[in-house]
Amino acid sequence: IQNVLLLLLFVLQHSVLKHLKYEMNLSPAKHRLLYIFSTTATLHAIERWWSRGSLLYSLSLTTSTIQALHILAWTWLISSVLLADFSELFGSKHISNEERGLEEPIYYKTMGARR
């Protein structure tokens, strides 16, 4: 039941922020920043208190398999960090451009990167 409540927390957080989007007079960039940080906090709570009684946690894997998965995951994470523009991802670049009267960051990208 704990996992169901945590999933309901995630749904509630998304629903409340969707409703607040229309109730509060926040710019889209500021709403996005609030949305990302509150989603991060919710996902952290889910990860922290999730009950690990599922099939995934009962698998018995060899040490070499776990090490291979670990290396693969870190390789993926580091390559993502190198390719991502985190100030744009978190919305802070949108707020900065909005405050300075500039276009949205997407307008400064090549056509191939706009997809």
Side-chain angles (χ1 to χ4, degrees):
I1 190 141
Q2 179 179 348
N3 292 350
V4 173
L5 291 174
L6 287 168
L7 289 176
L8 286 175
L9 173 68
F10 186 75
V11 170
L12 180 68
Q13 179 264 335
H14 276 69
S15 299
V16 166
L17 282 175
K18 185 70 171 176
H19 179 72
L20 286 177
K21 181 178 182 178
Y22 300 108
E23 296 294 321
M24 299 173 70
N25 289 329
L26 288 178
S27 70
K30 290 177 184 171
H31 180 266
R32 180 178 178 198
L33 188 64
L34 174 66
Y35 182 83
I36 288 171
F37 280 116
S38 63
T39 300
T40 302
T42 303
L43 288 173
H44 178 72
I46 290 171
E47 190 275 330
R48 171 70 175 88
W49 290 300
W50 189 264
S51 174
R52 288 165 169 75
S54 68
L55 174 68
L56 178 65
Y57 295 102
S58 64
L59 293 175
S60 79
L61 300 172
T62 65
T63 303
S64 60
T65 305
I66 292 171
Q67 288 174 342
L69 289 172
H70 183 83
I71 290 169
L72 183 66
W74 272 105
T75 302
W76 176 78
L77 179 68
I78 291 170
S79 65
S80 298
V81 166
L82 293 174
L83 294 173
D85 182 358
F86 283 102
S87 62
E88 184 176 347
L89 179 67
F90 293 135
S92 59
K93 187 180 276 187
H94 290 254
I95 294 172
S96 173
N97 283 8
E98 185 178 272
E99 295 296 324
R100 293 184 295 163
L102 300 173
E103 297 288 336
E104 290 187 23
I106 192 74
Y107 293 114
Y108 299 106
K109 295 190 178 294
T110 63
M111 291 305 291
R114 290 185 189 187
R115 289 188 259 153

